[in-house]
Amino acid sequence: MDIITVKDKSFRPYISEEDLQASVKKVASKINNDYKGSSPIFLGILNGSFMFFGDLLKSINLECTVSFVKLTSYEGTDSTGKVNELIGLKEDIEGKDVILIEDIVDTGNTLVKLHEILSKKNPKSIKIATLLYKPEAYKKDHSIDYVGIEIPNAFVLGYGLDYDGLGRNLSSIYVLNE
Ligand code: IMP
């Protein structure tokens, strides 16, 4: 693998396809163990999770349903400013085991907001699986149940993750070359 240029920035190879696939399989096998006898719903958080989601689900041997959601944010009229809205959820999750699938957990803001919105729909449980996790950037207390790979606080690209909308189609992960 070589250094690549995406838009105006240069990125170097960081996590190989082999290493990614190995950690995806590890996460899948933990989930398979923990949810034996349950029929969970996997909720992929768009856009970034699509590749991890696809590979992960190929190794899940549970009876399950899958769906994708997106968290949008717009300027509110009250003092709190930003308002978040969850779009795309058509399934009734009441009484269900929900597993949220994230590409990366950085500050944790997305995860906490998703948790807040989904909790109101009375699921039996909500757990979070993320491919990548930046512990140095994480500012919340919420536990992250399944982590593929911990990385330092650097900007990464590929395997679903983008820089300005580009690079999501790369099959391995690159890091900003500074
Ligand atoms: P959080 O809400 O700060 O945890 O960040 C969540 C979102 O920020 C992720 O789902 C990504 O879309 C984006 N993000 C965070 N770090 C990176 C990165 O290193 N590369 C690309 N996107 C990132």
Side-chain angles (χ1 to χ4, degrees), residues 45 48 102-111 134 138 151 154-157 161-163 168:
I45 316 306
E102 275 267 33
D103 51 355
I104 188 164
V105 174
D106 187 20
T107 62
N109 288 336
T110 309
L111 181 158
K134 296 180 184 172
Y138 193 60
I151 60 167
F155 189 82
V156 291
L157 173 83
L161 291 147
D162 74 306
Y163 165 52
R168 294 193 195 273

Side-chain angles (χ1 to χ4, degrees), residues 3-46:
I3 286 178
I4 56 167
T5 300
V6 175
K7 217 177 163 189
D8 53 352
K9 298 211 184 312
S10 137
F11 293 84
R12 64 175 190 279
Y14 192 55
I15 307 172
S16 71
E17 213 173 327
E18 293 70 33
D19 288 352
L20 282 175
Q21 294 303 330
S23 24
V24 172
K25 288 222 161 65
K26 258 198 243 163
V27 171
S29 101
K30 280 191 198 138
I31 294 176
N32 284 334
N33 262 320
D34 292 355
Y35 286 84
K36 263 188 201 125
S38 161
S39 179
I41 174 163
F42 287 86
L43 279 189
I45 316 306
L46 291 173

